[in-house]
Structures are given as structure tokens and as C-alpha cells.
Amino acid sequence: MGKIKREDLLSLEAYYKARPEMRLKAIAERKKRTVILGEHLNMIFENKYLMQYQIQEMLRVEKIFEDEGIQDEMETYNALVPDGTNFKVTMKLEYVNEADRKVALAKLIGIEHRVFVEVEGQPRVYAIANEDLDRTTADKTSSVHFLRLELTQDMIKSLKAGAQLKVGCDHKEYPAHVESLPPETLASLIEDLV
């Protein structure tokens, strides 16, 4: 699949015209690639298209057209494009009530390290979290984390041969999992793997 290159991006003018269609595609793609664990944990399995859309949106909103600014956005978002042997995930802990969120984030310290994927017949793989910067303090975890879930070649072969993928969290304060993903979600995730 590869990383996003400068030539993959549209000019601000071209993006203005393409934006309605790209936005609808991004919404559908994000919905298909979101796994919800329990009531409060959402995992968005990012891909090249979603990150390209995100870059285009940042360039549009910030009115960035200079090479240095475009390069900065590409470097930031390319970090979330899968490398062919992993999944890259934006994990969000969502609580509507601010007081509930504050209490939960204090209880959920370390949750980002307890998120896993498990390919049928293979060992569980835990997330490598926040490689850019630590988002947890001694008092609370962040409501957003960036995860990398690294797979072995055997896991990739199994998935491509039809094995199921379990996604979960085994933090003592938030045990939750999805035993099997919808077929369209699993198929989309397998596209990230080489």
C-alpha cells in the first residue's frame, strides 16, 4: 500500500471540488474500519485513504500550500498508515459526561497497553502505544491513544486464509472484546497486510 507521497495529494483548488465525494468515502471507510469495545472504547483502524483524507482536510482548514507545511502534515499522518505487517489504530475513550470521563480516565491508566488482537489459532498480540509521545500521567490516561499492532507472517497468512480476528482489551477495569469482526471489516483490514 505504501505511504502517502506529495503526488498523492490534491491542490487546495482540486480538493475543494473533490471534497464532497472524498468526505462521503472517508465516512463510509471509517465506519467500516471502526471496532467498538463495550460502551466507551472505539478503535479506528487507520489506512492510507483515511490518512490522505485527514491530510487534505488539514491543508484545507489551515490553508497550507507551502512545501514545508505540506511535508509536516505528511510526516505526521504517514505515521498512522499501516506498514504491511501491522495495524495502526486511533483508540478513543469516549464518555459523554465530563465527571464520568474524569473518573474513568483515572481508573484506566495503562489501558493502551492492554488492547490486543488475536488471530485464530495464534498467540495474542498487544498494542505498542503512543510511539510519538507518552499520553498517560501518574493520575490519568488520555482519552486518545495511537496504537500499533504488529503481526507475524504466520498471523498474516492465517488471516488471508480465512482465520478470524478477535479484538479486545483485558485491562482489569475495562474487560471487553469482539470475538469476530464483520466480514467487510475483516476484509478491509486484511487489505493493509502484505
Side-chain angles (χ1 to χ4, degrees):
M1 192 167 247
K3 298 295 184 180
I4 300 159
K5 300 180 189 80
R6 181 71 169 87
E7 56 268 21
D8 295 329
L9 300 175
L10 302 173
S11 68
L12 291 177
E13 297 84 9
Y15 181 61
Y16 177 78
K17 293 175 185 165
R19 184 174 182 254
E21 185 178 324
M22 286 184 73
R23 184 174 182 275
L24 289 175
K25 183 179 175 186
I27 290 168
E29 190 78 359
R30 187 169 286 123
K31 182 177 180 183
K32 176 173 52 177
R33 295 177 63 89
T34 297
V35 176
I36 299 169
L37 299 178
E39 293 181 42
H40 305 287
L41 197 158
N42 292 339
M43 297 174 64
I44 303 165
F45 285 77
E46 306 292 4
N47 68 7
K48 184 176 179 180
Y49 184 80
L50 290 173
M51 291 302 96
Q52 182 177 343
Y53 173 75
Q54 191 63 40
I55 292 169
Q56 293 284 180
E57 279 294 293
M58 291 304 296
L59 299 179
R60 180 186 73 84
V61 170
E62 301 291 331
K63 296 180 180 32
I64 299 170
F65 56 89
E66 295 173 348
D67 287 338
E68 185 179 337
I70 294 169
Q71 188 62 38
D72 286 347
E73 295 300 327
M74 285 173 42
E75 286 175 17
T76 298
Y77 290 102
N78 263 327
L80 285 170
V81 175
D83 300 312
T85 59
N86 54 39
F87 299 124
K88 304 277 183 92
V89 177
T90 301
M91 182 187 99
K92 298 179 180 182
L93 292 163
E94 298 179 335
Y95 291 83
V96 177
N97 181 289
E98 188 177 338
D100 291 343
R101 181 173 53 248
K102 190 173 182 176
V103 169
L105 295 180
K107 287 182 180 178
L108 295 174
I109 293 171
I111 190 170
E112 65 274 19
H113 301 291
R114 303 309 306 168
V115 171
F116 66 85
V117 293
E118 188 176 318
V119 176
E120 185 180 350
Q122 302 282 330
R124 189 173 279 186
V125 173
Y126 285 91
I128 300 162
N130 305 318
E131 294 177 284
D132 57 341
L133 66 108
D134 195 10
R135 290 179 163 74
T136 298
T137 67
D139 301 324
K140 68 177 184 71
T141 192
S142 174
S143 59
V144 177
H145 295 278
F146 300 100
L147 312 178
R148 177 168 55 94
L149 293 145
E150 203 64 47
L151 304 179
T152 66
Q153 286 304 312
D154 286 343
M155 292 171 185
I156 293 169
K157 284 179 193 166
S158 292
L159 285 171
K160 289 186 174 192
Q164 191 46 256
L165 182 70
K166 179 178 181 178
V167 178
C169 174
D170 63 10
H171 190 281
K172 63 182 171 59
E173 295 291 335
Y174 199 96
H177 69 272
V178 174
E179 199 66 46
S180 60
L181 300 179
E184 65 276 7
T185 299
L186 184 56
S188 183
L189 298 186
I190 290 171
E191 289 175 10
D192 297 341
L193 305 172
V194 294

